[in-house]
Amino acid sequence: MSATIAAGVITPPSIEYSQLCPMLLVFGLAVAGVLVEAFVPRQARRGIHLVLTLGGLAAAFVLTIVVASSKSLFRDHAAGHVAAMGAVAVDRPTLFIQGTILVLAFVSVLLIAESSHDVSSFAAQAAAIPGSAEEREGLLAGITHTEVYPLTMFAVGGMLLFPAANDLLTMFVALEVLSLPLYLLCGLARRRRLLSQEAAMKYFLLGAFSSAFFLFGIALLYGFAGSVRLSAIAAAASSDTGSTTLLLAGLALVGLGLLFKIGAVPFHGWKPDVYQGAPTPVTALMASCTVVSAFGALLRVFYVAFGQLTWDWRPAMWTIAILTMVAGALIAITQTDVKRLLAYSSIAHAGFILTGVIAATAAGLSASLFYLAAYGFTTIGAFAVVTLVRDPAGEAAHLSQWAGLGKRSPLVAGVFAFFLLAFAGIPLTSGFTGKFAVFQAAVAGGAVPLVIVGVLSSAIAAFFYVRVIVLMFFSDPAPDAPSVVTPSVFTSAAVVLGVVATVVLGVVPQPLLGLASHAASQLFVR
């Protein structure tokens, strides 16, 4: 974006603030959160942060609806509009993705707020934990780090910009803006300090390599097309006048960076360690919002810039989707940690969504959008339940500690079992509707063998989901079994929203399916 100088007069760039207001609001409140950290006494920060964060996310969602309902935006430009001097695309798929991210981020912040909601109660629990005074002080420090709120807002702002970026440099900036706060957030689990910091370091190093490949791919595509604008790359690819080597190499490297963010095989190695080591509310944020944002960016790049090259990238994407579904399902069977199991489940689900991406049609885009929204609510609800099962040292993540949970707390175990059944794709849950939609789009796109692999992978995944359910309801609890804490209003709200969304999107999916179809009807603006 640059100003134009003509006859000694500087013409400022044209910025459509009304179309960008949801993102600008989130970034503005993130900056306000930094000022709160700098100037407001520690005791008063949490309440202010909650108002700014939850209120800001809700307001941004309302603004997104207002922008999506703008008749002038979609009357003059049927598919949408390219704003900020061509750097940002405001179209129906992007607005659907941004709305989904804002809702899921709101629910995730409820879990983040839970981690600091009762300081006195936590202090009493920490005093009873064996260990040195320094270790107990470290546990208490974890709930007073209110900088988690502005970091979350910066990450969410990057997530909103990532799928809306209309050129690769803007997309790279958005990638870094969403990633850097997440690196810090992953290291804030004070109860598992070493594990959390190790996870943050792994995520940072692997994310840095991924970003480097992404940036190298941008350079190659610029060398091919003479521009980083997605539409210019598509036009150059259609004209077939440049170097095919530069084009395909750039496609592969940019795709690597995007596939790393969604955790597709073989770029998935960071996911189980980071999900296990990060604070569970942060894991919920990453497993929902980051995945939605990354898939949105992947859909935009492959549908807009490389839409004319489907015969070139679909075979590779077939291989990646198959590996992702099969590896995620098979490796999950061997897991003994609940969060690692959910991480490999997330990897398998990334493969299922890729089947919709591979369709390269409006139906594939619509199915992918629905799946992302449905999966996001279910996964936040599942991680919210994980935060409730605790022993004196913190969350009880080992599967052996969940034995007999159905006898000690049938409601919590029943809710978790319901989320697991949704992950497995049992009818009358959102998981079944989402899988049916992406598989149907893939069949229509000629990817029948891919769908067969997806169905078999779903059957394998159902085994380890049912294994956990059997463990909870048909095993006797150990004498020192962990307790189930009474959820606060924040966690209760997150769980209820997850359950309601999973039920409604399974029983009455048509409203959201219709909204996703409407969003995908014009694909992406070019």
Side-chain angles (χ1 to χ4, degrees), residues 432-459:
F432 172 80
T433 308
K435 287 182 180 179
F436 182 83
V438 294
F439 289 164
Q440 184 182 48
V443 169
V448 176
L450 187 63
V451 173
I452 294 174
V453 174
V455 172
L456 294 176
S457 298
S458 297

Side-chain angles (χ1 to χ4, degrees), residues 254-501:
V254 168
L256 187 154
L258 295 171
L259 290 168
F260 172 86
K261 273 300 171 187
I262 68 174
V265 175
F267 317 109
H268 68 291
W270 61 276
K271 214 167 191 179
D273 291 337
V274 173
Y275 277 31
Q276 181 184 17
T280 302
V282 175
T283 304
L285 177 72
M286 295 171 57
S288 56
C289 300
T290 304
V291 170
V292 173
S293 178
F295 263 108
L298 185 143
L299 285 163
R300 176 170 293 282
V301 168
F302 280 85
Y303 278 41
V304 177
F306 306 132
Q308 306 296 324
L309 303 173
T310 54
W311 287 104
D312 294 290
W313 59 259
R314 284 186 75 184
M317 199 67 79
W318 266 59
T319 303
I320 292 171
I322 291 172
L323 290 175
T324 303
M325 290 186 289
V326 173
L330 289 177
I331 301 177
I333 296 175
T334 66
Q335 301 306 305
T336 58
D337 184 276
V338 173
K339 292 175 70 175
R340 291 184 71 88
L341 185 148
L342 292 177
Y344 280 106
S345 169
S346 174
I347 292 169
H349 282 281
F352 298 142
I353 301 173
L354 282 176
T355 61
V357 175
I358 288 170
T361 60
L365 175 58
S366 172
S368 299
L369 294 178
F370 177 86
Y371 200 121
L372 289 169
Y375 173 75
F377 280 107
T378 305
T379 196
I380 291 178
F383 280 110
V385 174
V386 171
T387 64
L388 299 178
V389 184
R390 294 177 174 270
D391 59 20
E395 292 172 1
H398 199 278
L399 278 178
S400 62
Q401 297 175 292
W402 287 64
L405 182 65
K407 300 178 180 178
R408 293 180 287 112
S409 182
L411 179 60
V412 172
V415 170
F416 193 65
F418 175 70
F419 288 133
L420 293 178
L421 292 175
F423 287 139
I426 300 301
L428 300 182
T429 65
S430 60
F432 172 80
T433 308
K435 287 182 180 179
F436 182 83
V438 294
F439 289 164
Q440 184 182 48
V443 169
V448 176
L450 187 63
V451 173
I452 294 174
V453 174
V455 172
L456 294 176
S457 298
S458 297
I460 296 172
F463 169 77
F464 62 79
Y465 294 132
V466 172
R467 185 187 66 169
V468 177
I469 296 173
V470 170
L471 182 70
M472 290 190 297
F473 287 96
F474 299 99
S475 299
D476 294 325
D480 57 345
S483 61
V484 177
V485 300
T486 302
S488 73
V489 64
F490 298 113
T491 300
S492 298
V495 173
V496 169
L497 287 172
V499 170
V500 170

Side-chain angles (χ1 to χ4, degrees), residues 21-31 56-57 60 102 153 156-157 160:
C21 55
M23 284 188 291
L24 296 178
L25 176 61
V26 171
F27 280 122
L29 291 177
V31 174
L57 291 172
L102 289 168
M153 290 296 277
V156 172
L160 296 177

Side-chain angles (χ1 to χ4, degrees), residues 14-26:
S14 174
I15 307 295
E16 294 80 356
Y17 292 103
S18 61
Q19 298 175 21
L20 304 177
C21 55
M23 284 188 291
L24 296 178
L25 176 61
V26 171

Side-chain angles (χ1 to χ4, degrees), residues 217 220-221 223-225 233-234 236-238 240 242-253 305-306 309 312:
L220 294 179
L221 290 173
F224 166 76
I233 295 171
S238 299
D240 198 24
S243 170
T244 304
T245 302
L246 284 178
L247 174 62
L248 295 181
L251 187 159
L253 292 176
F306 306 132
L309 303 173
D312 294 290

